[in-house]
Amino acid sequence: MARRIDALIVGAGFAGLYALHKMREIGVVAHAFEMADDVGGVWYWNRYPGARCDVESVQYSYSFSDDLQQEWDWTERFAQQPEILAYLNHVADRFDLRRSISFGTGIVSAAFDDETQLWHVRDDKGEEYIARYCVMASGSLSASRLPDLPGIEDFDGPVFHTGAWPEDAPEFADQNVAVIGTGSSGIQAIPQIAKSAEHLYVFQRTPNFVIPARNQPLAAETLAKYKAEYPVLRARAKQVGTLYDFSETPAFEVSAEEREAEYQHRWDQGGVNFVHAFNDIMTDLEANQTAADFVHARIRGAVDDPVVAEQLCPKDYPLGAKRICVGTDYYETYNRSNVTLVDLQESPITQVSAGAIETRDVTIPIDMIVCATGYDALTGALARIDIRGRGGVSLTDKWAAGPRNYLGLMCVDFPNMFFITGPGSPSVLVNMVVGIEQHVDWIADCIIHLEASGATSMVPTAAAESKWVQRVNDEASKTLFPKASSWYLGANIPGKPHVFMPFVGGIGRYRAICDQVAADGYSGFEISQGD
Ligand code: FAD
Ligand code: NAP
């Protein structure tokens, strides 16, 4: 017999764990399903060498419990994957969450019953659950994607994806290793793998802008200061996401020397803060070019071989329009005698054979392939579930021309189904833990409202949804983001519609919009009452 749950949660990463805790807090019977064997989400799956966050750990952490943030001691500015995973395990234990999570259990379908106004959900073991609410915490960067390379199935060595890294770390010593992909994951893994591989070949299709992390151990005094100031810092983070030093000055309002000094200052500090050196870097191409020129000069300064340096300089898209990368010794790694950059723009991969990768010009003997080739971002994990709303309409069909929803939170025809940090919300453009907490809190308030008013379902109106989709597009078109073929636009997935998916208007403005909608009695939504 189908098990009855008030709120069914898909995923047990940062979002699923907090959603579970919050549902319990408001007295809703909740249960989470996680296809991995343990908690952690991204931080369970991404065990590749060098994996760490690039939002400072003191900020890339939950704010919902002061006790939690006071008792947990981060050891580095940007924690490594094992430390973040340990933190999420601590959260699961501390709040006694595991008893309400089914691990090793993938959700495969969810169908809305028009008559009962309930969701019928199935897992990959054939079990059925009936839920009033579905909370999709399945992740924006969880549907990893292997490259579609001719012959890769004939390769006789191991093939790893950074986002599905085995628990037993592979040995790189004496191996000719290929890393395909130079996004955030690749640029973190490359310097680490280079340290032990016999030879590392980096297959680069598009170079990325890589800002040094300047990672360092977190001094006890620094940590203590953060903890003392948490009330103020977290309140500000709710408005801006990450506490960067956001400039209010346009790039050409200062002299060339002042600009250079500002970039150098931020380069020396390290991290994504670099992108906020001037307030028009993401809206004005010429301003953006000044930042790009600065990074190009640093690349040319760091890399000994001038040909390799040019190949590493991104020139086809504005800085920041693809997710900026934060790395350690990335460019310097190309000075090692055991590292070779293979520029796929000059010589694309033509074939993978049993023991080699062939490009148009060379055949390179390879023992192991590391695919840092990214994700079917924002919509991929949802598309892997057969989700059918009112009248049997499928979410995949509804989103065939690009994701459509209201506030990024809910969709027409999919009552009581909430999406966490998916398309249409600030999502991957901000500190995601801040976005997750905002979404979960809003959803909890919404469920309290529905339960208190005896409502059976809530769904956006078509008009509200269309208006929001237009707004998300309009906000993006004011920026340089659409000028790169990025995963923000779905450009990395063949056949995926090119639509800029996240809301670029900022978490503060977005939060205010969501709060106003709630304050107005959930304007833009239709609420159905029970009998
Ligand atoms: P996830 O952590 O992706 O968790 C989703 C979970 O849902 C997964 O465990 C998955 O197995 C499970 N799941 C999916 N589908 C199903 C299904 N059908 N059935 C059952 N379970 C399912 N963001 C930042 O803000 N700062 C950073 O520094 C940062 N660093 C990152 C580093 C890496 C390597 C990656 C890949 C992402 C990073 N991100 C970062 C983005 C990251 O996605 C978020 O910060 C955050 O971890 C997302 O949490 P989540 O719970 O929403 O999703
Ligand atoms: P990504 O940014 O999508 O990068 C994938 C890389 O693989 C790109 O260089 C891409 O080239 C290349 N690629 C894809 N298919 C290929 C193919 N068939 N042949 C050759 N090259 C191919 O993925 P990611 O690096 O995993 O990062 C995804 C996101 O996760 C990041 O943007 C970030 O938000 C998050 N992340 C954060 C951190 C962190 O530092 N905190 C670390 C890792 C990930 P093209 O550009 O040409 O498509």
Side-chain angles (χ1 to χ4, degrees), residues 48 52-54 141 145 147-149 162 180-186 188 203 205-206 208 322-323 326 344 372-375 487 492:
Y48 62 84
R52 60 174 79 241
C53 55
D54 64 2
L141 293 161
R145 189 179 153 267
D148 198 6
L149 297 172
T162 48
I180 303 176
T182 51
S184 298
S185 304
Q188 286 186 329
F203 292 80
R205 191 163 67 182
T206 312
N208 260 298
K322 276 179 184 257
R323 172 63 154 74
V326 176
L344 299 180
T373 43
Y375 299 86
W487 57 257
N492 61 331

Side-chain angles (χ1 to χ4, degrees), residues 339-412:
V339 175
T340 302
L341 181 69
V342 183
D343 186 344
L344 299 180
Q345 282 178 5
E346 285 180 8
S347 185
I349 295 173
T350 50
Q351 185 74 30
V352 179
S353 61
I357 296 182
E358 297 166 25
T359 71
R360 202 180 51 202
D361 302 312
V362 282
T363 297
I364 303 169
I366 296 292
D367 303 311
M368 183 191 287
I369 301 178
V370 171
C371 297
T373 43
Y375 299 86
D376 184 354
L378 290 133
T379 57
L382 295 166
R384 291 176 186 184
I385 306 172
D386 183 14
I387 302 174
R388 290 178 187 271
R390 285 194 302 215
V393 56
S394 117
L395 186 69
T396 304
D397 289 349
K398 179 182 164 73
W399 285 4
R404 294 181 62 78
N405 58 35
Y406 178 40
L407 303 176
L409 279 159
M410 297 185 86
C411 285
V412 169

